[in-house]
Amino acid sequence: MSAQSTEHKRKFKVLVSKLGLDGHDRGAKVIARALRDAGFDVVYLGVHQTPENVVRTAIEEDVDVIGISILSGSHIELISDLMKIMKEKGVEVPVIVGGIIPPQDYDELKRLGVREVMGPGTPLSKIVEVYRKLAEEKRRREEEKK
């Protein structure tokens, strides 16, 4: 299936961002470009974003998936804040976290509500596949609510 839903006729839209003080954005840019090349609409917020700004932009842009890249080691705190704000605002968008995340923290991130955690070396094809799968699931849930 293409990145464009046959039912909605609009491309899947994703937000890719860096949270906190981490300024290394090469990986996030590679992901954003791969998603764009696969047919997604991509909103790239860049570095030094706050959880509040990510949630606000996700709402304004009506995104299907949020992708967060973190290399700073503050992933638990930042993702905890992000998920708390999303819950407070009623935002039901799947979140993917990538970057340098110790494997022992994957379960905690998933407990917080993260759908997928992807570390260095994850093939771009797998990343695109996961974004597509989560976007399709979100669209199906929205359709069922109507």
Side-chain angles (χ1 to χ4, degrees):
M1 178 180 226
S2 71
Q4 190 170 357
S5 169
T6 56
E7 295 173 6
H8 290 74
K9 304 295 183 206
R10 74 175 175 98
K11 292 180 179 182
F12 292 132
K13 192 175 211 180
V14 299
L15 183 152
V16 176
S17 185
K18 302 281 296 179
L19 286 178
L21 299 176
D22 176 13
H24 179 79
D25 64 349
R26 184 176 298 165
K29 287 179 178 176
V30 168
I31 301 306
R33 174 172 236 137
L35 292 166
R36 187 203 65 200
D37 291 349
F40 291 78
D41 279 338
V42 178
V43 176
Y44 179 69
L45 287 183
V47 299
H48 308 303
Q49 298 298 316
T50 64
E52 294 85 358
N53 192 42
V54 169
V55 173
R56 181 177 54 253
T57 303
I59 293 167
E60 290 171 358
E61 295 287 343
D62 189 23
V63 299
D64 296 302
V65 181
I66 297 171
I68 301 294
S69 171
I70 300 178
L71 305 173
S72 66
S74 56
H75 46 276
I76 299 294
E77 297 83 4
L78 290 168
I79 295 302
S80 180
D81 291 347
L82 176 74
M83 302 309 283
K84 178 182 175 204
I85 294 164
M86 288 177 65
K87 184 174 183 179
E88 288 170 357
K89 301 221 180 254
V91 177
E92 296 180 11
V93 176
V95 174
I96 297 172
V97 175
I100 307 297
I101 310 293
Q104 64 267 25
D105 290 346
Y106 285 23
D107 287 342
E108 177 64 13
L109 289 169
K110 288 187 176 185
R111 189 190 67 72
L112 290 170
V114 169
R115 292 292 303 275
E116 293 288 341
V117 181
M118 298 186 184
T122 304
L124 289 176
S125 60
K126 177 171 174 55
I127 293 168
V128 169
E129 176 186 317
V130 169
Y131 272 84
R132 182 172 286 119
K133 179 186 107 179
L134 293 177
E136 288 171 350
E137 288 175 9
K138 179 182 178 278
R139 295 266 180 104
R140 262 195 305 277
R141 279 193 314 274
E142 290 172 347
E143 203 50 42
E144 289 169 1
K145 287 182 181 180
K146 290 182 181 180

